[in-house]
Amino acid sequence: MLLSLVLHTYSMRYLLPSVVLLGTAPTYVLAWGVWRLLSAFLPARFYQALDDRLYCVYQSMVLFFFENYTGVQILLYGDLPKNKENIIYLANHQSTVDWIVADILAIRQNALGHVRYVLKEGLKWLPLYGCYFAQHGGIYVKRSAKFNEKEMRNKLQSYVNAETPMYLVIFPEGTRYNPEQTKVLSASQAFAAQRGLAVLKHVLTPRIKATHVAFDCMKNYLDAIYDVTVVYEGKDNGGQRTESPTMTEFLCKECPKIHIHIDRIDKKDVPEEQEHMRRWLHERFEIKDKMLIEFYESPDPERRKRFPGKSVHSKLSIKKTLPSMLILSGLTAGMLMTDAGRKLYVNTWIYGTLLGCLWVTIKA
């Protein structure tokens, strides 16, 4: 009985973060919606500046739970940029937590509000946030033959013309790597072999379209590309790599460490022609693959479970995240204390979601 209670309590560790993160969504969207209306007749830069600030507040609350609450240890390797830059962030993709890792790096550069994602199209139907991510500068893309290059170019060019700060996150693999999904891995390896590319073991063969369009549109606006390699240390099966933690597992504190390796690549070192860039991008993923092989399989115990070079334990101050959590949860609690507030809260969930779905349908 006691053991069962302990296990149940442990599994519910994700409940508080889930309630707060989801529960404050209407409050955040209402605040954004008011500002969107008020700024309708102002220059776009005024809207963007406050929207970035609002986004920073919400994502700081997210990081309160994913860093401070979980107590995860962040180990950084390689180039550790500290100043704000306009960048394209390329990373291996293995977990829903990967989106949070981009925030983890951005907040350490005071660029959290500038994070914008290239997202799979299906995510545009998320309640409330599906519409908002596009408003914040996110770009929804379809896979393979359905990829709409013109639409992505138009959106990126509009951001460049408006001098929108860009911390553009792209996962070139297009889907999450899972060592237990052998069919996906085999298909990816066969694709590489057919095109004379190196066969990769711990990452999938990267796709080039979104990365090429992003770089081609932004090359005169960018400062650099960040090539990021991530490992979640936790679940272990006799030293073999297992599926990376889900958000729920992460919030249940099943990942004690995140290893993050950053290569800062100057834009002049990136080839512009698509086929040359395809080779370059695949070579970058070869480097990732070699680092991951070393991390998981090195015969030298001293070189396993770490990336090459010196690591820095980077701890995020609670002062950067706790105020946002208190502000948003306090405003939400205050709204729920009155009948009018509760009605507004529920209506925001219902009509905000419906209007958001209508908007993304019209824009499709």
Side-chain angles (χ1 to χ4, degrees):
M1 175 75 75
L2 181 59
L3 178 60
S4 176
L5 180 61
V6 170
L7 291 173
H8 180 70
T9 302
Y10 179 82
S11 69
M12 296 300 284
R13 288 185 180 189
Y14 70 89
L15 186 59
L16 174 62
S18 300
V19 168
V20 175
L21 293 173
L22 290 175
T24 55
T27 308
Y28 178 77
V29 171
L30 275 172
W32 167 77
V34 169
W35 172 237
R36 195 73 180 96
L37 291 173
L38 292 176
S39 64
F41 302 103
L42 297 175
R45 67 180 182 274
F46 288 102
Y47 162 72
Q48 194 64 64
L50 188 55
D51 176 55
D52 284 358
R53 184 57 197 155
L54 286 171
Y55 188 78
C56 182
V57 170
Y58 186 83
Q59 293 302 103
S60 295
M61 179 182 67
V62 171
L63 289 178
F64 168 79
F65 289 109
F66 278 86
E67 279 208 61
N68 302 121
Y69 175 81
T70 62
V72 65
Q73 186 176 356
I74 306 297
L75 296 171
L76 302 179
Y77 305 76
D79 304 319
L80 309 177
K82 295 181 179 179
N83 300 318
K84 294 179 184 178
E85 295 186 292
N86 289 317
I87 62 109
I88 295 174
Y89 170 112
L90 303 175
N92 58 318
H93 194 20
Q94 57 198 310
S95 167
T96 47
V97 184
D98 293 339
W99 307 100
I100 311 300
V101 174
D103 293 339
I104 285 172
L105 292 181
I107 197 171
R108 285 161 170 79
Q109 293 175 256
N110 293 316
L112 186 56
H114 303 166
V115 176
R116 312 178 205 284
Y117 299 103
V118 174
L119 301 150
K120 289 187 290 189
E121 190 188 36
L123 294 175
K124 70 184 183 182
W125 303 110
L126 285 172
L128 299 182
Y129 285 113
C131 173
Y132 173 72
F133 284 142
Q135 293 287 319
H136 182 66
I139 300 171
Y140 291 110
V141 296
K142 297 178 182 179
R143 294 181 179 178
S144 304
K146 296 182 179 180
F147 178 77
N148 191 329
E149 178 177 329
K150 182 179 179 181
E151 182 180 355
M152 184 175 180
R153 283 185 179 277
N154 289 340
K155 288 183 178 179
L156 286 172
Q157 194 59 55
S158 70
Y159 301 148
V160 171
N161 293 343
E163 299 184 350
T164 304
M166 295 297 289
Y167 199 102
L168 186 66
V169 178
I170 303 176
F171 298 106
E173 290 162 285
T175 191
R176 292 192 294 272
Y177 174 96
N178 182 348
E180 297 172 13
Q181 292 182 349
T182 54
K183 288 184 178 180
V184 174
L185 182 56
S186 297
S188 174
Q189 292 172 338
F191 179 87
Q194 289 169 5
R195 285 156 180 77
L197 302 170
V199 173
L200 307 174
K201 181 178 181 180
H202 284 287
V203 290
L204 301 177
T205 303
R207 302 164 188 252
I208 188 60
K209 289 182 180 178
T211 303
H212 177 258
V213 171
F215 184 79
D216 193 48
C217 291
M218 299 170 59
K219 58 191 175 187
N220 296 323
Y221 188 64
L222 289 176
D223 295 302
I225 284 181
Y226 293 176
D227 182 8
V228 180
T229 308
V230 180
V231 169
Y232 301 95
E233 186 180 333
K235 295 191 294 184
D236 196 1
N237 182 22
Q240 297 298 310
R241 184 176 182 182
T242 58
E243 183 180 2
S244 298
T246 63
M247 282 193 174
T248 297
E249 291 170 335
F250 193 93
L251 290 170
C252 284
K253 308 185 181 183
E254 293 187 18
C255 177
K257 295 180 182 179
I258 305 179
H259 300 259
I260 307 173
H261 187 280
I262 308 108
D263 276 327
R264 184 188 183 279
I265 302 169
D266 195 288
K267 63 182 180 181
K268 66 180 174 55
D269 296 326
V270 182
E272 296 184 19
E273 198 275 326
Q274 183 167 328
E275 281 307 310
H276 292 163
M277 184 182 284
R278 186 191 304 276
R279 289 279 176 180
W280 172 84
L281 183 61
H282 198 85
E283 288 169 3
R284 296 307 311 177
F285 271 72
E286 284 184 66
I287 294 171
K288 291 179 185 295
D289 200 45
K290 289 175 182 177
M291 285 197 297
L292 292 169
I293 289 172
E294 187 88 344
F295 188 97
Y296 289 108
E297 304 174 23
S298 174
D300 183 355
E302 295 295 321
R303 299 170 71 176
R304 283 200 300 268
K305 293 192 175 181
R306 60 172 289 109
F307 286 131
K310 182 181 178 181
S311 66
V312 174
H313 177 204
S314 179
K315 187 174 177 61
L316 183 64
S317 170
I318 198 170
K319 293 179 181 179
K320 285 195 169 185
T321 60
L322 182 60
S324 295
M325 195 277 290
L326 294 176
I327 290 169
L328 284 172
S329 57
L331 288 173
T332 303
M335 188 186 306
L336 293 174
M337 290 178 68
T338 66
D339 289 337
R342 287 191 291 271
K343 185 176 180 180
L344 178 61
Y345 182 88
V346 172
N347 285 339
T348 301
W349 264 119
I350 297 172
Y351 297 110
T353 299
L354 292 175
L355 288 173
C357 290
L358 178 61
W359 186 88
V360 297
T361 300
I362 293 172
K363 300 293 281 188

